[in-house]
Amino acid sequence: TATIQAMNQSLRDEIAERKRIEEALRVSEASARASEEKLRTLFDLLPVGISFLSPQAQVLQINSAMLNIIKLSKDQLFNQAYKTRKYIRADGTPMSLSEFASARALAEARTIYNVETGIVLENGQVIWTSVSAAPVDVAEVGVVVVTVDITDSKRAERELQESHRHLGILSQRLVEVQEEERRALARELHDRVGQTLAALNINLIIINSQLPAEIIQQTGPRLNDSMKLVAETIALVRDVMTDLRPAVLDDYGLEAALESQLSKFTSRYNIKAVFEKSDRPIPRLGATIEMTFLRIAQEALMNIARHARAEQVSLTLQQEEQAVCLSIQDDGIGIESWQEANRPGSHGLTIMRERAEAFGGRLKVKSVPGQGTIVEVSIPFKNDGQDQSGKEGQL
Ligand SMILES: Nc1ncnc2c1ncn2[C@@H]1O[C@H](COP(=O)(O)OP(=O)(O)OP(=O)(O)O)[C@@H](O)[C@H]1O
Ligand SMILES: [Mg+2]
């Protein structure tokens, strides 16, 4: 009857409903299995180390990449072999367990990124890792840790630093060798050309005084001209010698050398120049560093004479905390285009920079078109009272 029919129908509905639920459950279980499967594959395939730790920092699960990185077998891992190892910070000092990314993630309840951790292996070898850790609260897991092996990139970085250091030593040596050559050239000029010219000059004076009047009348103008030429050549050689080896630098120091450079500049190019000296006396910096400052000033002044169309130049030399700073400022046309200034044929700015960097210094060139240019160089000095000119012996 109607009631029985209704009951039957509701029973059928219920069965269908149950079937649908069972089917849905089956599907969702299958998909959970599938996604677990995917996750596990990923877990074992990823090239970074992954580990799940309990809130007490016990290892619950770890992938094979992690075992590879820390060079432990599963057995060693579960025997907690890692606990007896030493760990070091990026600077090589000992690292305590509380500094680990995992410990900090747990303690601070936040994700900790890229903690550089060196693992000292039993054979003394160091594995460098970068470790990140995030606190989680799923089942018994307390923290997920991701570990990347950075040993190779650290080594590459170190090698790069080392080759930079070598390059620095080389450029310093280059500057020294160049100065030695110049000094030798100046000596040759002085001893050979200079002496010979001086002798020639004396001979001419004597000849001039001994020639009979009638001959003087004939050859006098030519002889006078020769004597003038010799005198000019002597002055020229002296000039070249001063450029090659500014004796004033050796004898009276950097300030005096810069001052004489400036006065020569003013008389040669008719550009006004002021020299603002340091309030504190500049210590002697060693021959090579002083020469570096002077050469940079020479090149900067030469650039001003050639390119700047300036009316006034000001030069300052200051001692700061750990460095001596020289700046050369002009009020000329400024540098219009840096691309143009750095074109392959131009070496002045590059050489200035390399000279400064060879001694651990820096060179800055600032310019506003139409308003002039400032060249600033600062070189740190070692305040140990040692003269650095005798360095060659160490190389
Ligand atoms: N004080 C300055 N005022 C204006 N322009 C400048 C100044 N100093 C440099 N420049 C510009 O920068 C360019 C590069 O200078 P840099 O000294 O490197 O080379 P250079 O003087 O052209 O050639 P060199 O190799 O003989 O020194 C110059 O050609 C010039 O255009
Ligand atoms: Mg130049």
Side-chain angles (χ1 to χ4, degrees):
T1 68
T3 6
I4 293 179
Q5 261 176 3
M7 267 170 63
N8 270 348
Q9 185 55 45
S10 109
L11 209 63
R12 267 200 299 277
D13 286 352
E14 207 170 294
I15 289 170
E17 174 69 13
R18 184 168 307 161
K19 271 208 175 119
R20 223 181 37 247
I21 291 175
E22 275 173 0
E23 178 62 16
L25 210 65
R26 209 177 51 74
V27 169
S28 101
E29 267 174 6
S31 108
R33 254 199 313 281
S35 70
E36 201 184 306
E37 183 74 27
K38 272 191 243 166
L39 215 64
R40 180 161 315 125
T41 314
L42 197 65
F43 188 69
D44 277 325
L45 218 61
L46 274 178
V48 295
I50 300 177
S51 41
F52 295 105
L53 310 186
S54 73
Q56 291 73 38
Q58 295 298 320
V59 179
L60 302 172
Q61 213 180 349
I62 188 165
N63 71 347
S64 42
M66 184 63 184
L67 291 171
N68 275 338
I69 293 174
I70 61 176
K71 306 246 180 322
L72 286 181
S73 68
K74 262 208 160 87
D75 287 345
Q76 288 171 313
L77 178 80
F78 288 108
N79 288 337
Q80 306 197 329
Y82 56 92
K83 286 202 170 159
T84 57
R85 282 178 166 173
K86 273 205 294 251
Y87 296 88
I88 54 179
R89 305 185 190 119
D91 63 3
T93 53
M95 187 173 191
S96 69
L97 296 181
S98 64
E99 289 171 73
F100 277 21
S102 52
R104 285 182 47 202
L106 281 168
E108 298 170 32
R110 64 185 182 96
T111 306
I112 304 291
Y113 295 96
N114 303 324
V115 177
E116 219 169 288
T117 311
I119 308 170
V120 184
L121 299 188
E122 287 69 19
N123 64 7
Q125 192 195 341
V126 178
I127 310 274
W128 285 103
T129 60
S130 171
V131 188
S132 301
V136 285
D137 193 7
V138 180
E140 75 276 65
V141 179
V143 58
V144 184
V145 186
V146 175
T147 305
V148 182
D149 188 338
I150 55 167
T151 311
D152 285 346
S153 64
K154 284 273 282 193
R155 186 181 307 126
E157 192 185 316
R158 225 187 1 258
E159 281 169 4
L160 198 67
Q161 276 169 359
E162 186 62 9
S163 86
H164 264 269
R165 208 176 62 79
H166 271 292
L167 210 63
I169 294 176
L170 268 185
S171 0
Q172 190 165 340
R173 186 71 195 124
L174 200 68
V175 171
E176 284 166 0
V177 167
Q178 199 183 31
E179 292 304 337
E180 280 163 27
E181 297 267 276
R182 287 183 173 172
R183 213 175 310 156
L185 207 61
R187 207 163 39 228
E188 292 286 285
L189 267 181
H190 176 266
D191 294 353
R192 300 199 193 189
V193 184
Q195 312 281 33
T196 313
L197 282 173
L200 186 60
N201 197 29
I202 293 168
N203 282 353
L204 288 176
I205 291 170
I206 295 173
I207 290 172
N208 193 27
S209 69
Q210 291 182 346
L211 283 177
E214 62 271 30
I215 294 191
I216 290 262
Q217 221 158 33
Q218 280 174 15
T219 56
R222 187 147 293 223
L223 196 59
N224 278 336
D225 192 41
S226 302
M227 279 160 58
K228 219 175 93 205
L229 281 178
V230 171
E232 274 171 21
T233 313
I234 289 176
L236 200 80
V237 167
R238 199 164 287 151
D239 225 30
V240 173
M241 251 160 45
T242 326
D243 274 348
L244 284 173
R245 184 69 210 160
V248 57
L249 184 62
D250 291 336
D251 299 342
Y252 301 103
L254 187 55
E255 285 190 339
L258 288 171
E259 202 151 27
S260 108
Q261 200 66 44
L262 273 186
S263 67
K264 215 180 332 169
F265 174 79
T266 299
S267 66
R268 227 181 245 173
Y269 303 108
N270 203 13
I271 299 173
K272 210 176 139 213
V274 269
F275 184 14
E276 289 166 34
K277 284 189 211 163
S278 173
D279 338 317
R280 294 190 263 175
I282 304 279
R284 290 304 300 247
L285 302 170
T288 44
I289 293 188
E290 289 183 345
M291 189 55 98
T292 297
F293 274 115
L294 185 63
R295 294 288 183 220
I296 290 173
Q298 281 174 330
E299 173 59 28
L301 289 171
M302 184 54 93
N303 273 349
I304 293 173
R306 283 172 58 199
H307 312 294
R309 283 183 248 154
E311 286 176 6
Q312 180 162 343
V313 173
S314 86
L315 194 144
T316 62
L317 184 69
Q318 291 289 337
Q319 182 192 337
E320 296 187 351
E321 281 291 284
Q322 298 297 327
V324 172
C325 299
L326 169 72
S327 91
I328 303 119
Q329 179 168 16
D330 70 66
D331 62 353
I333 57 171
I335 294 175
E336 283 282 349
S337 139
W338 290 102
Q339 209 179 346
E340 178 69 12
N342 290 322
R343 71 182 176 277
S346 293
H347 304 293
L349 294 176
T350 315
I351 293 174
M352 280 197 261
R353 173 158 294 121
E354 281 174 2
R355 279 184 179 276
E357 286 173 0
F359 294 95
R362 271 168 185 288
L363 182 107
K364 271 192 252 166
V365 182
K366 294 183 237 169
S367 184
V368 180
Q371 290 178 35
T373 305
I374 309 180
V375 173
E376 279 175 354
V377 52
S378 79
I379 299 181
F381 61 89
K382 301 179 190 80
N383 208 356
D384 51 12
Q386 252 179 24
D387 184 6
Q388 288 160 20
S389 56
K391 248 204 195 120
E392 290 93 318
Q394 297 171 8
L395 286 162

